[in-house]
């Protein structure tokens, strides 16, 4: 009881579990869709529901009911692997369901009903092979899984094969997307798969330790690959692996074939490749055969080898190899294998894919055909191509810009297309040739096979016939013939040539003539060399086995005859058993014939079909090629040739200056652009030519109006091409006379003709070259010649202009005379001015050393200095005066100043008690000059005066007094250079105050002192790096620098310093500097 | 018996004097100044001009309006199934006559005079964009134009062969525009302008094309059931609320919202 309760409790729990699980699914849908249902978002809802259904296989249908309309907002159901948004079929509506409300923003906005399949739910619950989340995630992240397959593996015409169908089966079962990628060579596919990048794995992979360790996970095996025992063609001893006991085999190194010989008494020699094994077998003779899972039929034929046995064993198992990078895929595949019923894989494995192809190809014949050659699709495609070509043709002739091909691109495309088409045709021709060879071989093979089968049938009948005849007649000859047949068939005695045809019905003589004996060869061996299919071989094996049985019966009958039981023998040979035994032989033969007929006919038909198709393609491509070339020619003509011809004609017309070609509009391509540009260029050239013509006219107009004689002369002929009207006057000839004449006939060059030519050669032109000329009338004139080379009316020429300078020359001579006279006057004035300069030797009387620099800027100057001895022989005056201006005007002022100065000195010397005052002297100068020059009046025309320094020195009292108008006095005493600034007031000018009192300064000369008086010419001189005035600061510094030198040295230093500073700059003003040294002891 | 009759009369009187409750649905997106705030909540301190205007009619019409905000598509469906009485607002589309009743003239045609308001759709684009609207056609349009899902302007744009990028929120478009996922967007300026004003960072990059893409009248819709039962009341409501922004009786409310701006 307790136990029953416990079971009931578990059932209850399980039920609850299921119910709640499904209620949870409904809740999940409710939560998932609430927002979209609220928004009535019919775009988002399908996505959400599809996602949900994909994740929950057990859910077969979903309905969402909208609370507003109380109707179905959306519904989905599962139909096999499809998800359909249609009315859910009744069959699903009858399934168990779970419902829940959809709540959003505290409002019930709808209901969800899910319909689920209890079986799948339970299956899911108990099925350990449901994908884990990790596996599901991996699948999501890798939506396509590429698996390598070989294109040469048996497949039907749709490329379906055991392998592709298995992949489909797995995809359907577990939701993967395994996608086949085909390779033409195993090596390529295998190498790609080992990388694990593009391929996730490879099919048809047999096991090897290295492969498993290095690259792949092996899924459960899904097929078996046979192993081939290969022997030499002539080897009749080793017909199966069993025959290699105590023998030697080549095996491929590390290949699984080693497992097959384990425990057997077979010696193994390892070889690296299949080729090596073939070569070894053919040449070395150290082994009698090799085992390999892969054989190359051509290679085998080449080395005169044969496949002695086809072995199916467990080592030939092949699997899907999944690269180590993808363990999830491996586990997914393993789960799929667990789910997929084994029968399904077996069914796929047992399907004869090649046979299927043949059957299907026969069925395909009934497909809709187009004009008997093409399929409907092909026909439509080629019609489309044809119309496309027609359309292109139309575009060419309609000059549409739609076919506006850029020339380079067009050329490239054309060449590319031509090459592709030619390559395609070559390829197709090669393939056609090969197919034809294959067809010929197929016919040959068919004949061979039929001959062999015919022989089997014929010889079986012959054997029965001879056995029965022997039994009836007792004639030993028949018995001999019987055994002869057996021996021939078994390869014991020589086989007559063409033994398969009529032989035994002919007389011995004819037999010997027509059917000479060849080397013995058993029928079995012959059959082994023939290309029978696997199934046919199975039938042959059956025939062989059954043949033994009937031979035994026949031998039993012969035994009866030997025992004189003729009736017994006949009874055996005509018995039901015998008949059945015969039938047991004939049925396989019949079946072989049937199979053979089907296979060979189909093969031949297939090849013929292929040839037809290839021929058809060649024809179509050939026609397309021709059409394409016609089109290309038309395009070339329309787009290239015609526009270029037009352009050539246009250029020619333009060159020959004939009538302009009418402008045509071509395509907007390079040639169109060239034409367009040419017309623009032509237009531009015409414009420029017109402009040039106009310019020429303008220039001639200008030249004719120039008030100078102008000649244009041919460079080669030296004839005059053009002359303006002023040339008539200059050369005293009419224009008619001038033009056409040579230069020499118009005027004679009195100067150096060579010089003109040299200048032209050197400089390219002559500019203002002064020469003397003579007209034909004998008039001589000086002129400036300018010659420039030009092109005049397409001819190299010189344009020459002569400026008659005879008058200017005369004026120049006059000016020169005046200048000379003036210069002489000024030089004389300079003599006069220099007479004002005191005798410098007087300085020596008063000063221990001195120097004087007096450098007028011109011949005469405005700077002057005076030295005056006063009546008291200890007293003297030194003055440095900078009068207004320089040159002659300045000199005039110095004369006036000298006159006033003389007057002042005279007055000083006449007044016995007069104290000499430099300031007073300047005051007198000021008043006198203003008075004399009438500059007291502000309206006075003249405004002349001076700046200057006056120094008084009393030798006995060692007293120095000085005053200065503007210019500073510098002195050096006690190692220090001092400056006495002048009053900021000039002497005598209109604006000078006549009552101005100049300041007087006194200096004690009881100690050594050097005094420097200077006009502003020195420190105002421009020069130096920045072309600025020398300045007082630099002047003072110079004094400080040279103060200890002798006055002569100082003079030199002053001059040199100024020259250096001045450099190439012109002197600005007159310069006057006086330096005096008073020694305390002197 | 007399007492029973009296009681019955009193009951009927009380019953009839109770205001009629009218369920009103309106959009959960703001349309300045008609209704403010985003989402389903209603701020009755400043619900918007139209809501206040409607509330102000309660006493006069002896009704009680029960407001609910939801997506317009849902509101329309509810109206169609008589789950609500009144819908704010819908532009006129012939197909929508089946979901509710528009104010109409005696000949059955729509009475545009009794529209509640007019809203303009404008094109907004980036300031440096060449995209423009000349009153009839888009100029320099090369990309997609954003519009809000469920608005009739989507169909209008699609009919003009414009590639429309639908957006569930009015305010997603400016963001999409800034990210250059769309070339421009079309929306009611009453929705976008206040938003841009509040978001000067966005407004810095966005310009409004002055010529409106479309100006549409918007109406109050009543459910067929409600209209059938309360035809006079429905007409009164339409009359009272017609062209609300011009109606003198609502000027004070209008001023209040204008001051808010």
């Amino acid at each position: 009881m307790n136990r029953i309760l416990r079971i009931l409790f578990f059932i209850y729990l399980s039920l609850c579990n299921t119910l709640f699980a499904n209620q949870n699914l409904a809740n999940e849908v409710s939560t998932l869709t609430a927002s979209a249902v609220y928004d009535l978002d019919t775009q988002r809802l399908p996505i959400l529901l599809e996602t949900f259904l994909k994740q929950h296989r057990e859910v077969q249908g979903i309905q969402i009911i909208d609370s507003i309309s109380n109707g179905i907002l959306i519904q989905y159901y599962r139909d096999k692997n499809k998800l359909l948004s249609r009315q859910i079929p009744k069959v699903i509506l009858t399934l168990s369901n779970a419902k829940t409300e959809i709540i959003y923003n505290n409002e019930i906005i709808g209901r969800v009903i899910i319909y689920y399949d209890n079986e799948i739910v339970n299956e899911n619950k108990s099925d350990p092979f449901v994908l884990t989340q990790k596996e599901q995630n991996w699948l999501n992240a890798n939506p396509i899984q590429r698996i390598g397959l070989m294109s040469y593996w048996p497949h039907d015409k749709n490329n379906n094969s055991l392998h592709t169908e298995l992949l489909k089966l797995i995809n359907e079962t577990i939701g993967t997307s395994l996608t086949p990628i085909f390779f033409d060579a195993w090596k390529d596919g295998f190498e790609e798969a080992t990388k694990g990048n593009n391929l996730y794995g490879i099919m048809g992979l047999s096991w090897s330790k290295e492969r498993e360790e290095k690259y792949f996970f092996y899924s459960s095996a899904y097929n078996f690959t046979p192993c081939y025992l290969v022997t030499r063609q002539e080897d009749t001893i080793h017909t199966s692996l069993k025959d290699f006991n105590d023998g030697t085999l080549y095996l491929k190194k590390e290949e699984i074939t080693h497992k097959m010989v384990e425990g057997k008494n077979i010696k193994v020699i390892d070889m690296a490749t299949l080729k090596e094994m073939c070569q070894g077998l053919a040449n070395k003779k150290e082994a009698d055969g090799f085992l390999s899972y892969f054989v190359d039929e051509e290679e085998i034929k080449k080395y005169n080898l044969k496949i002695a046995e086809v072995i199916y064993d467990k080592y030939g198992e092949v699997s899907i190899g999944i690269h180590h990078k993808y363990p999830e895929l491996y586990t997914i595949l393993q789960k799929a294998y667990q789910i997929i019923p084994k029968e399904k894989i077996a069914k796929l494995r047992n399907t004869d894919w090649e046979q299927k192809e043949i059957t299907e190809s026969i069925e395909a014949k009934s497909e809709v055909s187009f004009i008997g050659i093409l399929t409907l699709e092909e026909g439509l495609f080629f019609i489309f191509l044809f119309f496309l070509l027609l359309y292109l043709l139309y575009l060419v002739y309609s000059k549409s810009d739609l076919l506006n091909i850029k020339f380079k691109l067009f050329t490239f495309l054309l060449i590319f297309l031509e090459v592709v088409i030619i390559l395609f045709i070559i390829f197709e021709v090669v393939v056609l040739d090969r197919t034809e060879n294959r067809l010929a071989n197929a016919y040959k093979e068919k004949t061979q096979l039929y001959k062999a089968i015919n022989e089997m049938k014929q010889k079986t009948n012959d054997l029965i016939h001879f056995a029965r005849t022997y039994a009836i007649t007792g004639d030993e000859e028949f018995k001999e013939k019987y055994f002869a047949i057996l021996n021939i068939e078994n390869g014991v005695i020589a086989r007559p040539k063409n033994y398969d045809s009529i032989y035994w019905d002919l007389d011995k003589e004819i037999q010997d003539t027509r059917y000479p004996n060849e080397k013995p060869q058993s029928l079995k061996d012959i059959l082994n060399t023939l290309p029978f299919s696997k199934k046919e071989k199975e039938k042959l094996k059956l025939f062989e086995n059954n043949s033994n049985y009937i031979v035994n019966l026949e031998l039993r009958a012969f035994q009866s005859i030997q025992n004189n039981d003729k009736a017994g023998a006949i009874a055996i040979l005509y018995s039901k058993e015998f008949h059945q035994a015969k039938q047991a032989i004939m049925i396989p033969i019949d079946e072989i014939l049937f199979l053979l007929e089907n296979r060979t006919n189909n093969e031949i038909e297939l090849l013929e079909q292929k040839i037809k198709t290839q021929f058809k393609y060649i024809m179509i491509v050939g026609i397309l090629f021709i059409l394409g070339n016609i089109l290309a020619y038309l395009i070339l003509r329309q787009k290239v040739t015609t526009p270029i011809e037009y352009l050539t004609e246009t250029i020619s017309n333009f060159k020959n200056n004939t009538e302009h070609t009418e402008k045509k509009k071509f395509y907007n391509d390079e040639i169109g652009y060239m034409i367009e540009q040419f017309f623009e260029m032509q237009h531009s050239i015409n414009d420029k030519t017109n402009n040039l013509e106009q310019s020429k006219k303008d220039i001639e107009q200008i030249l004719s109006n120039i008030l100078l004689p102008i000649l244009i002369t041919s460079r080669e002929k030296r004839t005059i091409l053009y002359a303006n009207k002023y040339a008539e006057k200059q050369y005293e000839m009419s224009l008619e006379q001038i033009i056409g004449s040579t230069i020499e006939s118009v005027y004679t060059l009195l100067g150096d003709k060579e010089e003109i030519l040299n200048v032209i050669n050197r400089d390219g032109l002559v500019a203002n070259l002064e020469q003397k000329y003579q007209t034909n009338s004998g008039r001589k004139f000086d002129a400036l010649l300018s010659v420039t080379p030009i092109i005049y009316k397409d001819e190299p020429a010189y344009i020459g202009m002569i400026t008659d300078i005879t008058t200017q020359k005369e004026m120049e001579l006059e000016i020169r005379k005046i200048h000379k006279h003036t210069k002489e006057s000024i030089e004389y004035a300079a003599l006069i001015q220099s007479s004002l300069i005191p005798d410098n030797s007087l300085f020596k009387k008063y000063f221990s050393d001195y120097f004087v620099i007096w450098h007028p800027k011109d011949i005469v100057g405005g700077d002057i200095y005076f030295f005056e001895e006063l009546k008291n022989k200890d007293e003297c005056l030194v003055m440095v005066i900078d009068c207004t201006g320089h040159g002659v005007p300045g000199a005039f002022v110095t004369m006036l100043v000298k006159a006033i100065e003389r007057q002042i000195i005279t007055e000083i010397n006449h007044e016995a008690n007069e104290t000499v005052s430099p300031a007073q002297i300047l005051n007198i100068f000021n008043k006198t000059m203003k008075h004399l020059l009438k500059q007291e009046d502000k309206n006075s025309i003249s405004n002349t005066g001076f700046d200057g320094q006056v120094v008084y020195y009393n030798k006995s009292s060692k007293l120095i007094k000085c005053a200065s108008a503007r210019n500073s006095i510098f002195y050096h005493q006690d190692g220090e250079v001092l400056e006495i600034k002048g009053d900021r007031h000039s002497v005598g000018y209109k604006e000078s105050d006549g009552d101005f009192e100049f300041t007087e300064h006194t200096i004690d000369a009881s100690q050594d002192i050097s005094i420097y008086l200077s006009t502003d010419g020195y420190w105002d001189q421009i020069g130096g790096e920045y072309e600025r005035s020398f300045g007082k600061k630099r002047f003072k510094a110079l004094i400080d620098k040279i103060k200890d030198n002798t006055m002569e040295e100082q003079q030199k230093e002053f001059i040199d310093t100024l020259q250096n500073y001045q450099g190439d700059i012109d002197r600005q003003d007159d310069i006057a500097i006086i330096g005096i040294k008073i020694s305390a002891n002197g | 018996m007399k007492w029973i009759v009296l009681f019955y009369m009193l009951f009927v009187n009380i019953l009839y004097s109770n205001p009629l409750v009218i369920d009103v649905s309106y959009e959960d997106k703001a349309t300045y100044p008609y209704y403010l705030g985003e989402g389903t909540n209603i701020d009755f301190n400043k619900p918007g001009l139209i809501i206040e205007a409607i509330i102000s009619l309660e006493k006069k019409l002896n009704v009680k309006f029960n407001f609910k905000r939801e997506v317009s598509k849902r509101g329309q469906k509810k109206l169609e199934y008589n789950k609500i009485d009144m819908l704010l607002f819908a532009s006129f589309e012939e197909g929508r006559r089946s979901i509710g009743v528009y104010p109409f003239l005696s000949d059955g045609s729509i009475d545009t005079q009794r529209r509640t308001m007019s809203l303009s759709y404008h094109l907004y684009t980036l300031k440096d964009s060449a995209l423009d609207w000349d009153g009839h056609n888009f100029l320099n349009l090369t990309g997609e134009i954003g519009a809000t899902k469920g608005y009739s302007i989507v169909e209008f744009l699609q009919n003009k062969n414009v590639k429309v990028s639908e957006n569930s929120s009015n305010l997603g478009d400016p963001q999409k525009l800034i990210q250059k996922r769309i070339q421009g967007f079309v929306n009611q300026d009453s929705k976008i302008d206040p938003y841009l004003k509040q978001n000067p960072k966005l407004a810095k990059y966005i310009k409004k094309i002055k010529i409106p893409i479309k100006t549409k009248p918007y109406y109050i819709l009543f459910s067929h059931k409600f209209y059938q039962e309360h035809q006079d009341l429905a007409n009164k409501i339409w009359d009272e609320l017609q062209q609300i922004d011009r109606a003198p009786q609502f000027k004070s409310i209008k001023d209040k919202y204008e001051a808010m701006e």
Side-chain angles (χ1 to χ4, degrees), chain A residues 38 40 66 68-69 109, chain B residues 70 73-74 77 81 83:
Chain A
Y38 177 77
L40 300 169
D66 153 43
I68 301 172
S69 62
I109 57 169
Chain B
E70 53 205 339
K73 202 171 175 183
R74 190 165 184 79
K77 186 155 188 177
Y81 287 92
K83 300 283 178 186

Side-chain angles (χ1 to χ4, degrees), chain A residues 231-233 235-236 238-240 305-310 449 452 456 521-533 537-538 540-541 544:
Chain A
T231 59
R232 293 181 196 96
Q233 185 73 49
D235 188 351
T236 51
H238 302 97
T239 55
S240 76
L305 306 175
K306 67 177 182 195
I307 296 170
E309 193 183 11
V310 181
L449 294 172
M456 284 161 65
Q521 192 179 11
S522 71
L523 181 61
K524 192 181 170 187
D525 285 348
I526 292 169
L527 291 175
N528 274 340
T529 59
L530 294 174
F532 284 104
S533 75
K537 279 183 179 166
E538 283 170 8
L540 283 173
K541 187 80 185 166
E544 190 189 336

Side-chain angles (χ1 to χ4, degrees), chain A residues 171-224:
Chain A
N171 288 344
E172 284 166 12
T173 308
I174 204 108
T176 47
S177 298
L178 299 166
T179 306
I181 305 293
F182 291 95
F183 291 86
D184 290 327
W186 169 261
K187 192 173 161 250
D188 296 346
F190 180 77
E191 271 179 15
E192 195 61 49
T194 55
K195 290 174 195 163
N197 296 330
N198 291 326
L199 291 183
Y200 287 63
I202 190 162
M203 296 194 82
L205 190 71
S206 61
W207 182 87
S208 88
K209 198 178 176 190
E210 186 199 28
R211 287 173 180 179
E212 191 171 44
E213 281 176 355
K214 280 190 178 173
Y215 309 114
F216 302 106
F217 298 112
Y218 277 75
S219 72
S220 304
Y222 69 91
N223 197 15
F224 304 94

